[in-house]
C-alpha cells in the first residue's frame, strides 16, 4: 500500500525563479502541490486576507512594491489602508508577493524560497 500523498497549495508564477524553486522543494519533499497560477486566477479578497494572516505577515509585506501599478495607484502613500491594498492586489494580481505556500503545517510567503521548509 502506497503512503498517502502530501498535499500543498502553491500560489505560483511560472516566470518567477523563487516560485519555481519552491515548486521543486515541494516536489522533492514528496508533495503533490495544487498549483494556483494567481495571475490567471487571482484569489478573492477573503482568500488573500487568510493567506496573509495565516502566514503571519502584514498586508503591506504581501505587496510587490516594484510593480509599476504600486506607484501608479499611489499605494506607496503611508495612509493607504489594508483594505485598499487588498482591493488593489485583487484587481492587479501582479501586486501580490509570491509565492504563498499552504500545507497542513501552515502557510508561508516563501521569500526567500527556503522559508517554505518551515512548513514541509
Amino acid at each position: 500500500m502506497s503512503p498517502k500523498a502530501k498535499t500543498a497549495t502553491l500560489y505560483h508564477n511560472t516566470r518567477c525563479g523563487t516560485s519555481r524553486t519552491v515548486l521543486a522543494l515541494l516536489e522533492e519533499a514528496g508533495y503533490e502541490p495544487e498549483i494556483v497560477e494567481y495571475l490567471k486566477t487571482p484569489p478573492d479578497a477573503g482568500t488573500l486576507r487568510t493567506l496573509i494572516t495565516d502566514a503571519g505577515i502584514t498586508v503591506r509585506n504581501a505587496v510587490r512594491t516594484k510593480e509599476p501599478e504600486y506607484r501608479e495607484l499611489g499605494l506607496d502613500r503611508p495612509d493607504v489602508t489594508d483594505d485598499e491594498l487588498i482591493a488593489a492586489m485583487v484587481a492587479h494580481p501582479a501586486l501580490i508577493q509570491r509565492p504563498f505556500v499552504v500545507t497542513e503545517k501552515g502557510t508561508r510567503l516563501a521569500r526567500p524560497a527556503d522559508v517554505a521548509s518551515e512548513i514541509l
Side-chain angles (χ1 to χ4, degrees):
M1 181 173 220
S2 65
K4 184 176 182 241
K6 297 184 279 185
T7 60
T9 302
L10 175 64
Y11 290 82
H12 184 54
N13 179 343
T14 58
R15 292 181 20 213
C16 172
T18 301
S19 196
R20 290 191 308 269
T21 298
V22 171
L23 176 57
L25 289 172
L26 286 167
E27 291 171 342
E28 288 168 16
Y31 284 84
E32 292 183 7
E34 173 189 351
I35 307 296
V36 177
E37 290 189 42
Y38 70 91
L39 293 174
K40 295 178 183 175
T41 310
D44 62 25
T47 300
L48 193 52
R49 262 189 205 288
T50 298
L51 288 169
I52 292 166
T53 299
D54 291 354
I57 62 174
T58 67
V59 172
R60 203 160 275 282
N61 291 142
V63 179
R64 290 184 57 82
T65 60
K66 293 180 181 177
E67 295 299 323
E69 296 93 341
Y70 181 74
R71 286 208 170 59
E72 290 168 8
L73 296 170
L75 302 177
D76 53 342
R77 295 185 337 266
D79 63 329
V80 175
T81 67
D82 286 355
D83 287 341
E84 291 170 320
L85 290 171
I86 293 277
M89 287 188 279
V90 170
H92 306 275
L95 290 168
I96 301 171
Q97 193 60 272
R98 63 189 179 249
F100 275 96
V101 181
V102 181
T103 72
E104 69 280 350
K105 295 180 182 178
T107 301
R108 293 291 182 276
L109 174 59
R111 255 191 126 63
D114 61 356
V115 170
S117 64
E118 296 173 4
I119 58 169
L120 300 183

